[in-house]
Amino acid sequence: MDSGEVMLVGSSGGHLAQLVALEPWYRDRSRSWVTFDTPDARSLLDGEDVVWAHHPTTRNVKNLLRNLWLAVRVFRGREVAAVVTTGAGVAVPFVVVARLRRIPTVYIEVYDRIDTPTLSARLCRPFLSAMLVQWEEQRRLYPKSTVVGNLL
């Protein structure tokens, strides 16, 4: 990933906190963020390049379509080398558009889902370059995934 930025995509709250925990990895990389405009996101991402996505996304087709259009516009104006996401709903349109543009996509399943896969991971899975999990137990949910350990 020598040219272009890493785009970190995640809903605010725990999904965003897990992406922020990757700071030692992204510290020296050009990056941008996609998340929701919430107080915790504003605080965590102060001074960062942030694209504010539309929310809520759960069972909200209007915002899914708005975020799909947002993803199309964002990728047109940026040189993105890879998309890294922890989900949830905001991840789906950005992963799909990135993959259609042949941009590598990486999903990191959240640490608190050990028994069942998340809906966003299931929806994103066909479009992923890599699936990462935080627990060995999650590998049975996602064959061929890579265990990276706990982010938090």
Side-chain angles (χ1 to χ4, degrees):
M1 254 185 301
D2 292 335
S3 66
E5 65 188 39
V6 174
M7 182 175 284
L8 298 134
V9 180
S11 299
S12 55
H15 293 276
L16 180 59
Q18 290 178 66
L19 285 173
V20 169
L22 295 171
E23 194 266 341
W25 173 76
Y26 66 70
R27 178 183 309 136
D28 297 326
R29 289 180 164 85
S30 175
R31 64 189 172 274
S32 62
W33 299 81
V34 178
T35 192
F36 304 138
D37 190 357
T38 60
D40 67 311
R42 284 204 173 266
S43 174
L44 285 169
L45 301 177
D46 185 44
E48 294 284 328
D49 177 8
V50 182
V51 173
W52 301 114
H54 304 282
H55 67 96
T57 55
T58 306
R59 294 178 189 84
N60 190 314
V61 175
K62 177 183 174 186
N63 282 342
L64 172 66
L65 295 174
R66 290 172 75 193
N67 285 330
L68 180 62
W69 179 240
L70 178 65
V72 169
R73 288 193 332 262
V74 166
F75 284 112
R76 277 188 192 151
R78 295 173 181 264
E79 187 178 337
V80 178
V83 171
V84 177
T85 185
T86 52
V90 69
V92 176
F94 281 85
V95 165
V96 169
V97 173
R99 192 61 178 186
L100 291 173
R101 295 179 64 92
R102 296 189 174 103
I103 297 169
T105 53
V106 178
Y107 195 104
I108 306 169
E109 182 61 291
V110 291
Y111 72 91
D112 58 344
R113 289 299 289 267
I114 298 171
D115 298 326
T116 58
T118 58
L119 177 59
S120 58
R122 289 191 325 244
L123 293 172
C124 288
R125 190 78 194 267
F127 303 95
L128 297 177
S129 305
M131 179 72 187
L132 308 180
V133 294
Q134 298 183 51
W135 300 97
E136 184 64 39
E137 293 84 353
Q138 290 173 313
R139 291 193 74 219
R140 68 181 168 75
L141 303 173
Y142 305 105
K144 300 180 184 174
S145 62
T146 301
V147 179
V148 294
N150 294 11
L151 299 182
L152 297 177

